[in-house]
Amino acid sequence: MTHEERQELLESLLAKQKAGTLKPRDRFDIPPQNMPEQDAAARRRNVSEVALGYTEMQARLEAMRCLQCKTAPCVQGCPVGIRIKDFIAAIADGHCDRALDIIKENSLLPAVCGRVCPQEVQCQETCTVGLKFKDVSRAVSIGRLERFVADLDCNGAAIPSVASLTGKKVAIVGSGPGGIVAAADTRRAGHDVTVFEAFHKPGGVMVYGIPEFRLPKAIVHDEIETLKKMGVRIVTNFIVGRTRTIEQLMTEDGFDAVYIGVGAGLPSFMGIEGESLVGVYSANEYLTRANLMKAYDFGSGADTPIAASKRVAVVGGGNVAMDAARTAVRVGAEKVYLIYRRTEKEMPARVEEVHHAKQEGIEFHLLQSPKRIVGDQNSRATAIECLRYELGEPDDSGRRRPVAIAGSEFLIDVDTVIIAIGNQANPLIRQTTTGLEFNKWGNLVVDENCRTSMPGVYAGGDIVLGAATVILAMGQGRIAAAAINDDLADKPR
Ligand SMILES: Cc1cc2nc3c(=O)[nH]c(=O)nc-3n(C[C@H](O)[C@H](O)[C@H](O)COP(=O)(O)OP(=O)(O)OC[C@H]3O[C@@H](n4cnc5c(N)ncnc54)[C@H](O)[C@@H]3O)c2cc1C
Ligand code: SF4
């Protein structure tokens, strides 16, 4: 559709709406608005964002596709209960500032969530329009609309108001999405808040894991700047459990409450032969080198912390695997293979990421899994030996269990292998803090208000949920902050 065609359609829809004659049928007839994106061949050679965002006309037309359902099933699908139909109605009416205000009631990071939330299994999965077409890809594009208003930032860089100082100190350990939200909400209540971050840059996985081409770092940077303007102190290169323990923060440094939001940054490996060869990385290490240490920035003379690879195998089928594979393409690999032991249907990665990865030339090796990594006399990886699989009965996760086909081994020549099969909780806090309860996977146990077993200590995000999502971490940051604010209100100075 051209801009003029969109304009004409929008005007006719608005006229019908004004006359009270707009029918659901008219809304169903509006074509779903695709988001413009960078050409696949061009983007293989840059790290700029792939999806370019809606124009205003596209956003308003997409918003007109919403039926304004009385029961708004989309809201039930949203982990933080954003008033979706109301913000969409505001966009349709051309009031994007109001739309942003509505979103911000429940989500502090709309520009992030609009880009990385798995909407197709959350709000969009339950959207009536997608259900009517029996196709979730035809649901109202709630995430793209969220991104549209967040990027316009019609409110300007408004700094949330902060209550007068309470004299209470709050420590936030980890600066991921959960930590950012917990810091903002406790600071708003007037507490003196300090964020302690192990890395040299704050932002958590949004900075060191999710690549620039999916989530521009400037967005996260702006959120951190907002926190600073609110008066939150950010201390980097500070590892709680090493630099100071939680007990020290509370008994010696005077913190009245501590929120633990350290994520799940410990990569899992397969336990196969050859995983310690040169050229074998965890996806976390690979992505951290690329994102945080700018391995992609060959031109500007950054010290490149990843050896140049020609043939890369990425093992896994989630978002992390897609990010690693697409990063490998951008840092110059000629061939990138994605090896996954189930089929595409079972892949946990977002549909959009799978689609983009294929467009960028990543070769999918499905129903295959590595048996060992082969190295040369210098202990450098030279090949990956894989087995072919078929799907058997469903396992505990409900997905059909992959079963190896005996004798199906074959070799793929590679110089780099990236293992992206999952992350677990880092054991440091567990090893250095007595009085905290952890489950058998090493995740912190909390109650429904994100209180841990240790008085004054709260936790949320991946360290509680296991590797989860940005929006769930944010949701827990908010719940924990509410509990901290409640508890500190009753605590004498
Ligand atoms: C590559 C990748 C891609 C992903 N893609 C998506 C996606 O598309 N959509 C989505 O919703 N989710 C995605 N996720 C998951 C999502 O990023 C996480 O669920 C979310 O970031 C968890 O937030 P969190 O607040 O628990 O902290 P995290 O973001 O994990 O941040 C924790 C922070 O704590 C710091 N830290 C750790 N230990 C200490 C310590 N002892 N002292 C001080 N600081 C410490 C870490 O350095 C880190 O900065 C992805 C994850 C990865 C790894
Ligand atoms: S379910 Fe879909 S159509 Fe209904 S209010 Fe939500 S976004 Fe609109």
Side-chain angles (χ1 to χ4, degrees):
M1 274 178 108
T2 63
H3 177 78
E4 288 69 30
E5 285 167 341
R6 286 198 180 97
Q7 188 158 18
E8 203 178 310
L9 177 57
L10 181 64
E11 279 166 11
S12 78
L13 291 163
L14 291 173
K16 281 188 182 177
Q17 192 174 38
K18 197 167 173 199
T21 57
L22 188 70
K23 300 273 182 308
R25 198 180 50 241
D26 298 314
R27 297 187 187 268
F28 290 136
D29 285 345
I30 305 170
Q33 299 296 297
N34 292 323
M35 180 129 72
E37 55 191 33
Q38 259 201 83
D39 171 69
R43 68 183 194 240
R44 280 176 61 95
R45 293 288 163 259
N46 68 54
V47 290
S48 306
E49 197 173 9
V50 169
L52 301 175
Y54 276 155
T55 62
E56 185 182 349
M57 199 60 70
Q58 283 180 305
R60 290 190 69 185
L61 268 186
E62 186 64 28
M64 290 299 289
R65 297 183 63 232
C66 170
L67 300 167
Q68 292 293 307
C69 316
K70 273 205 180 72
T71 53
C74 48
V75 179
Q76 276 119 59
C78 173
V80 295
I82 293 174
R83 290 197 285 129
I84 291 171
K85 76 170 187 177
D86 297 338
F87 96 73
I88 292 181
I91 296 175
D93 292 345
H95 299 303
C96 56
D97 49 351
R98 197 189 321 140
L100 188 58
D101 284 343
I102 294 171
I103 297 172
K104 283 198 167 177
E105 289 168 7
N106 301 70
S107 166
L108 267 189
L109 307 172
V112 174
C113 294
R115 285 171 166 82
V116 305
C117 263
Q119 292 101 2
E120 65 277 5
V121 292
Q122 295 179 347
C123 51
Q124 290 176 198
E125 187 177 42
T126 51
C127 169
T128 316
V129 178
L131 294 176
K132 143 96 184 151
F133 289 110
K134 298 189 174 61
D135 180 357
V136 71
S137 72
R138 299 199 66 182
V140 176
S141 287
I142 300 166
R144 291 173 181 176
L145 292 172
E146 180 181 21
R147 170 191 164 146
F148 169 73
V149 282
D151 285 359
L152 284 183
D153 203 356
C154 308
N155 291 344
I159 309 299
S161 57
V162 169
S164 47
L165 271 177
T166 60
K168 311 272 172 58
K169 283 175 68 175
V170 178
I172 307 288
V173 185
S175 61
I180 291 177
V181 171
D185 282 1
T186 49
R187 179 68 195 122
R188 276 195 226 196
H191 305 307
D192 177 355
V193 180
T194 306
V195 175
F196 296 105
E197 167 55 49
F199 273 131
H200 60 279
K201 252 193 198 162
V205 172
M206 297 185 294
V207 166
Y208 79 76
I210 304 179
E212 175 80 14
F213 56 82
R214 273 212 300 134
L215 177 62
K217 301 305 152 226
I219 292 172
V220 186
H221 174 80
D222 286 353
E223 297 300 340
I224 302 288
E225 286 305 303
T226 303
L227 275 189
K228 287 186 190 164
K229 286 178 192 153
M230 289 168 72
V232 172
R233 206 168 310 118
I234 314 254
V235 181
T236 51
N237 298 313
F238 191 110
I239 304 176
V240 174
R242 286 273 180 276
T243 322
R244 303 291 278 163
T245 63
I246 288 180
E247 274 97 349
Q248 284 173 322
L249 290 176
M250 299 188 81
T251 56
E252 296 172 23
D253 302 338
F255 285 96
D256 299 281
V258 177
Y259 170 83
I260 305 176
V262 292
L266 184 70
S268 302
F269 282 92
M270 302 189 73
I272 56 172
E273 183 187 325
E275 273 184 316
S276 53
L277 289 167
V278 177
V280 181
Y281 299 86
S282 70
N284 254 26
E285 179 187 349
Y286 191 82
L287 288 168
T288 304
R289 285 173 183 240
N291 293 327
L292 213 51
M293 302 171 193
K294 296 198 186 324
Y296 58 82
D297 206 357
F298 293 100
S300 72
D303 285 341
T304 303
I306 303 177
S309 311
K310 287 208 163 23
R311 299 169 72 87
V312 178
V314 178
V315 183
N319 286 322
V320 182
M322 297 303 148
D323 284 345
R326 297 176 67 201
T327 297
V329 164
R330 284 162 174 80
V331 295
E334 287 160 12
K335 272 276 177 203
V336 180
Y337 308 101
L338 189 110
I339 300 174
Y340 179 57
R341 62 195 186 129
R342 292 180 158 101
T343 71
E344 192 174 321
K345 201 166 137 245
E346 288 82 28
M347 272 190 172
R350 296 189 61 201
V351 175
E352 188 175 271
E353 307 313 330
V354 173
H355 170 68
H356 282 151
K358 285 184 175 171
Q359 279 183 332
E360 289 163 13
I362 287 149
E363 216 172 272
F364 281 44
H365 283 231
L366 302 172
L367 289 169
Q368 298 175 13
S369 188
K371 189 177 167 193
R372 68 183 176 117
I373 303 165
V374 183
D376 63 13
Q377 67 280 13
N378 297 319
S379 297
R380 289 187 175 278
T382 56
I384 186 163
E385 186 179 35
C386 295
L387 272 167
R388 295 187 198 281
Y389 278 67
E390 59 193 357
L391 291 183
E393 294 303 309
D395 63 14
D396 294 345
S397 71
R399 295 181 302 172
R400 288 178 64 193
R401 189 190 302 273
V403 183
I405 303 173
S408 64
E409 290 86 346
F410 64 98
L411 284 174
I412 308 175
D413 290 341
V414 291
D415 51 39
T416 302
V417 177
I418 304 171
I419 310 288
I421 57 164
N423 285 319
Q424 312 157 37
N426 188 307
L428 185 60
I429 298 284
R430 193 177 61 216
Q431 288 161 355
T432 56
T433 322
T434 48
L436 282 176
E437 188 187 343
F438 290 84
N439 67 17
K440 63 177 175 180
W441 297 282
N443 297 115
L444 265 164
V445 175
V446 297
D447 69 10
E448 69 280 8
N449 296 309
C450 291
R451 291 186 180 96
T452 68
S453 50
M454 195 170 161
V457 180
Y458 309 74
D462 283 5
I463 186 62
V464 169
L465 301 166
T469 60
V470 167
I471 189 87
L472 289 173
M474 275 175 41
Q476 286 208 315
R478 174 145 278 185
I479 292 169
I484 293 172
N485 292 340
D486 271 359
D487 294 350
L488 292 190
D490 299 334
K491 190 177 173 196
R493 272 193 222 178

